[in-house]
Amino acid sequence: MKTKAVKKILLALVCTTLTIALGACAGDRADDDRSQITIGIPQDVEDSLDPHKAVAAGTEEILFNLYEGLVKPDSDGNLVDALAESHTISDDGLVYTFTLRQNVKFHDGSVMTADDVKYSLDRCADTSSGAPLVAAFSAIESVNILDERTVEVVLTEPDKEFLPYMTAAIIPQANETPEKNPIGTGPYKYVSRAPQENFVMEKFDDYWGEGAHIDLVTLKVIANSDTIVTSLNGGAIDMFLRITLAQSEQVSDDYQVLEGTMNLVQAMYLNNKAKPFDDIRVRQALCYAVDPAGIMEINSNGKGTQVGSSMFPAFGKYYMEELNDLYETDLDKARELLADAGYPDGFSFTLTVPSNYPQHVNCAQVIVEQLKEIGVEAKIQLVEWESWLSTVYTDRNYEATVVGLDASSLTPAAMLRRFTGAASNNFINYQSADYDEAFEKALTSVDDAEKTQYYKECERILAQDAANVYIQDLPCFVALNKKYGGYEFYPLYVQNFASLYLVEEQSN
Amino acid sequence: MKYFIKKLAGLLVTLLVVSFLVFAAFAVIPGDPATAMLGTEATPERVEALREELGLNAPVFVRYVGWAADFVRGDFGTSYRYNMSVKEMIQDKVPVTLTLTAMSFCMIVLIAIPLGLVCARHAGGWLDRSVIVINQIIMAVPAFFSGILITLVFGLILHFFVPGDYVSYQTNLPRFLGYMFFPAVAIALPKAAMAVKLLRTSVLAQMKLDYVRTAYSRGNATREVLYRHVLKNAMIPVVTFLGMALADMIAGSIIIEQVFNIPGMGRILLTSISNRDYPVVEAVIVCIAFLVIIINFIVDLIYQAIDPRITFE
């Protein structure tokens, strides 16, 4: 008797499981008529949603869609007026005056006022917690409301390059919990987030400008890089930001692979204080031995742009292509320099590389092989990114590392300031009086041509001193379903989803 | 009664030790939540201010006591990264992992017990032999690999499901369960294979014992002997195995969650460790430890139900 009952229960269980599973398989994906796109991201927006407190690059590039500043970058990297209708910079570089755009609405429906602007800028400059939320804002003397549509920002010292910092988000003063309830003026507004799962935004209908085309944007976290291609080919996501070259070759014909650049300087950064890298001859020898073209050939089929100093091509007039030829690969010269420096038989060192960046790990592996040619033995030590940040970047306890450094804003100072002697993030311990002087002159000069010249001088000094072994600006690939168009690469760490559109919608 | 008190005390001590070990581990490994949060744009002043804000400047032990006191009162703290309460973050993830575990557990029981019995009953027959061979193969394949194979065959070729198209159970329950079906299969397969083998061996061992001969001599048919007498005795090692497997599946679902892109407890745990987000890591680990201990406890109770001779004092 008992066994019959057990059998019945078992049968019932099997039936239920199958019904649920099969029923679910037939489920339909489309939820409503609104246009939507699902975008895969490798890392969650794991940060505060408060635009002034969020610091992770991965968060900032997403928040670009929710928040705007008085000015914002366009896809060429130029700053255009956003919440300001126009702006003027005084000749002495001390006073920035903004005329505010009228009737700009926040996502909660309220209208942006001069008070909100002052509140937001003051908040970034607030030093009550010990340091301003945005480091550069310590240069602000005061923010004054001249009338209800004019705000001026007065600096403590002349600085003609302060405008990029005016991209800082303007938020409503009335919002008490911006970290949970993000309210901005951007083309998209926040809907919901589920940690490690997704981040949902919808089109903001009252946007002051042209606005977005797609109604609903869902960012889906695909943490395991092995599932990116299956998720794309299976149709679970329509787009993935930053796939590798190998992945781009595996995606199906439904996708277009767009190619851009990562806008960073990938280099083997050397601790200029650690032996033997404190000797310029040793550093130069490494530069002669490492062949960037060979690295690109092996890792990305030759794709990538060589760089010869801490500046990448998106910086336009500041980028110096001529520095690429400074150290034409020459193994004999490298051996000679090593012998001069007292290392005729080479030496060995540890190359600390963050393990979560395959592009840097792959690069390091090729470097190791190339250095063997001149008798230098590099041992790769893989560390987590968080360990890298504290050991290498903060404590400067390393010999050499391979990473990419980008610019937080499109000013040459953002790339070059870190190599001045006193910079707190001068993690390569580079010291050069000439460099510091040239940098200071570049900062203070008011004439644009002169400024450019001094910045170039800085780049040249870095290259001649062989402060680092410069390699390339990495190529970047984006997979996008052919149903969509309009993706734009920015020279900054920014993703603009408002420019995306459905192809058939556009042809109608 | 004494048994329960003992178990409860054991539970508390285990949770205390586990949670303290997590704190201690974070004190030893390099990396700091403040530098991890601020990244390459950090200035020493901002890092210091943030450390102060997060209360990271106090010694480990003081921080631990503070955390434990809050935890006991039901306050799991706030995630450093997400700025959300840890409870809010985890409560949506626990059901995901539990569903996955429960589904694969049901599959193991549904497959292993009938199959193990049939094999034992017809030991040496064609079915038994082929099951033994297939079993060997399945046991040798780890869950993450069968996961990849399943994705390829059922997802990309047969289109039974869309790989990566996970839906939360709050949005659409049937689709959620449907998506969880294949990951559950991947977890269940190697464990079911082991359970079949175990049950078969156990039944065959029991069949040689005296009580079985006695049962036969009283005129019982094989069926009756098997179900009424042998099964109960043969189940003891299988229950032990199932209990261990269940605990293992909860703690080990991390890998399968990665393969199928399921945002469960495993995913939260992994990312929180690399973010040095202690409050979240603590809560997840304590949660897993708690579940594992409870399962062990239930297994003990089942032993007693199966075999009243087993008592716990």
Side-chain angles (χ1 to χ4, degrees), chain A residues 484-501:
Chain A
Y484 302 91
Y487 182 79
E488 288 173 340
F489 285 97
Y490 274 66
L492 279 166
Y493 225 72
V494 152
Q495 298 293 340
N496 181 15
F497 301 132
S499 68
L500 294 172
Y501 55 81

Side-chain angles (χ1 to χ4, degrees), chain B residues 219-298:
Chain B
N220 287 314
T222 312
R223 270 180 69 93
E224 279 170 69
V225 177
L226 205 57
Y227 290 119
R228 203 166 294 165
H229 303 285
V230 174
L231 184 57
K232 246 186 175 182
N233 288 307
M235 275 308 278
I236 297 269
V238 180
V239 169
T240 314
F241 170 76
L242 289 179
M244 285 189 324
L246 195 54
D248 186 43
M249 285 189 298
I250 289 183
S253 61
I254 295 172
I255 296 165
I256 271 312
E257 285 181 13
Q258 287 290 86
V259 173
F260 286 90
N261 203 38
I262 298 167
M265 287 206 286
R267 170 88 72 79
I268 277 278
L269 180 63
L270 274 188
T271 46
S272 300
I273 290 175
S274 65
N275 288 340
R276 306 288 186 268
D277 201 341
Y278 312 158
V280 182
V281 176
E282 280 288 353
V284 174
I285 298 262
V286 168
C287 202
I288 290 176
F290 181 77
L291 287 171
V292 169
I293 296 168
I294 293 293
I295 288 166
N296 279 330
F297 178 64
I298 294 172

Side-chain angles (χ1 to χ4, degrees), chain A residues 420-457:
Chain A
T420 55
S424 67
N425 55 356
N426 180 0
F427 74 111
I428 67 161
N429 285 315
Y430 178 68
Q431 298 291 342
S432 159
D434 290 347
Y435 183 86
D436 292 0
E437 196 190 322
F439 185 77
E440 194 55 40
K441 279 187 180 151
L443 273 191
T444 47
S445 61
V446 192
D447 178 60
D448 190 58
E450 201 181 283
K451 208 180 205 20
T452 311
Q453 196 195 323
Y454 282 122
Y455 278 132
K456 284 188 166 180
E457 181 62 25

Side-chain angles (χ1 to χ4, degrees), chain A residues 289-426:
Chain A
V290 171
D291 172 24
I295 294 171
M296 289 181 233
E297 198 52 54
I298 291 173
N299 289 339
S300 53
N301 279 349
K303 292 191 167 109
T305 319
Q306 198 185 337
V307 295
S309 187
S310 281
M311 197 61 67
F312 49 82
F315 273 101
K317 64 180 176 188
Y318 297 109
Y319 171 66
M320 298 169 76
E321 204 180 349
E322 60 269 32
L323 293 179
N324 294 350
D325 306 327
L326 197 58
Y327 301 101
E328 201 81 56
T329 309
D330 186 341
L331 297 180
D332 290 331
K333 200 150 189 187
R335 289 191 195 100
E336 207 174 290
L337 280 161
L338 276 188
D340 282 355
Y343 299 97
D345 303 322
F347 58 93
S348 64
F349 69 97
T350 306
L351 191 51
T352 313
V353 190
S355 57
N356 57 324
Y357 289 101
Q359 65 269 40
H360 301 321
V361 178
N362 293 343
C363 176
Q365 278 162 348
V366 182
I367 290 179
V368 168
E369 291 306 315
Q370 292 182 343
L371 290 182
K372 274 185 188 158
E373 299 284 322
I374 57 162
V376 173
E377 184 101 19
K379 279 192 299 286
I380 295 181
Q381 184 194 20
L382 293 179
V383 294
E384 268 183 299
W385 174 242
E386 285 68 24
S387 304
W388 186 91
L389 278 173
S390 68
T391 336
V392 177
Y393 198 73
T394 312
D395 299 340
R396 304 181 192 178
N397 184 12
Y398 74 106
E399 291 181 289
T401 181
V402 177
V403 285
L405 293 180
D406 59 356
S408 56
S409 65
L410 214 57
T411 56
M415 288 306 289
L416 298 172
R417 188 189 300 271
R418 70 170 73 249
F419 301 113
T420 55
S424 67
N425 55 356
N426 180 0

Side-chain angles (χ1 to χ4, degrees), chain B:
Chain B
M1 201 56 217
K2 216 169 143 195
Y3 170 70
F4 278 101
I5 293 168
K6 241 175 155 177
K7 272 276 157 189
L8 201 67
L11 173 81
L12 285 177
V13 171
T14 315
L15 292 184
L16 270 177
V17 171
V18 166
S19 60
F20 184 71
L21 281 181
V22 174
F23 252 90
F26 273 122
V28 176
I29 55 173
D32 168 278
T35 51
M37 272 166 88
L38 294 174
T40 50
E41 291 302 312
T43 59
E45 298 80 34
R46 274 293 283 150
V47 171
E48 201 33 57
L50 193 61
R51 285 185 63 89
E52 198 62 58
E53 191 187 322
L54 300 176
L56 292 169
N57 286 328
V60 185
F61 198 73
V62 174
R63 292 205 328 251
Y64 176 70
V65 171
W67 172 84
D70 285 346
F71 195 88
V72 172
R73 272 182 266 130
D75 176 6
F76 291 13
T78 310
S79 157
Y80 293 160
R81 269 301 167 103
Y82 285 94
N83 234 309
M84 335 173 37
S85 90
V86 173
K87 219 186 237 167
E88 207 180 316
M89 263 175 85
I90 292 184
Q91 69 191 9
D92 292 346
K93 308 296 175 195
V94 175
V96 175
T97 302
L98 284 186
T99 309
L100 185 60
T101 314
M103 273 175 95
S104 27
F105 187 74
C106 289
M107 287 177 195
I108 295 173
V109 173
L110 289 179
I111 297 169
I113 295 182
L115 204 58
L117 281 176
V118 171
C119 285
R121 196 170 158 190
H122 307 286
W126 63 269
L127 179 75
D128 181 41
R129 283 190 200 170
S130 37
V131 167
I132 289 176
V133 173
I134 296 171
N135 251 352
Q136 286 297 351
I137 297 170
I138 292 178
M139 269 192 281
V141 179
F144 81 88
F145 188 68
S146 45
I148 295 171
L149 281 183
I150 287 172
T151 309
L152 189 70
V153 176
F154 294 98
L156 294 181
I157 299 175
L158 297 174
H159 297 291
F160 281 8
F161 73 108
V162 182
D165 195 25
Y166 168 87
V167 197
S168 163
Y169 60 96
Q170 286 147 324
T171 329
N172 189 332
L173 188 64
R175 260 182 71 193
F176 165 76
L177 292 174
Y179 189 79
M180 295 303 241
F181 180 79
F182 288 101
V185 170
I187 297 179
L189 277 179
K191 298 244 185 305
M194 262 177 255
V196 168
K197 189 178 163 147
L198 204 63
L199 183 60
R200 177 184 174 276
T201 321
S202 176
V203 168
L204 287 179
Q206 292 287 331
M207 293 294 267
K208 294 201 184 77
L209 295 181
D210 289 345
Y211 77 91
V212 177
R213 199 176 47 201
T214 315
Y216 273 121
S217 65
R218 281 165 58 192
N220 287 314
T222 312
R223 270 180 69 93
E224 279 170 69
V225 177
L226 205 57
Y227 290 119
R228 203 166 294 165
H229 303 285
V230 174
L231 184 57
K232 246 186 175 182
N233 288 307
M235 275 308 278
I236 297 269
V238 180
V239 169
T240 314
F241 170 76
L242 289 179
M244 285 189 324
L246 195 54
D248 186 43
M249 285 189 298
I250 289 183
S253 61
I254 295 172
I255 296 165
I256 271 312
E257 285 181 13
Q258 287 290 86
V259 173
F260 286 90
N261 203 38
I262 298 167
M265 287 206 286
R267 170 88 72 79
I268 277 278
L269 180 63
L270 274 188
T271 46
S272 300
I273 290 175
S274 65
N275 288 340
R276 306 288 186 268
D277 201 341
Y278 312 158
V280 182
V281 176
E282 280 288 353
V284 174
I285 298 262
V286 168
C287 202
I288 290 176
F290 181 77
L291 287 171
V292 169
I293 296 168
I294 293 293
I295 288 166
N296 279 330
F297 178 64
I298 294 172
V299 170
D300 279 357
L301 291 184
I302 295 176
Y303 278 157
Q304 242 174 343
I306 296 179
D307 188 346
R309 284 172 304 179
I310 300 175
T311 52
F312 302 98
E313 280 311 330

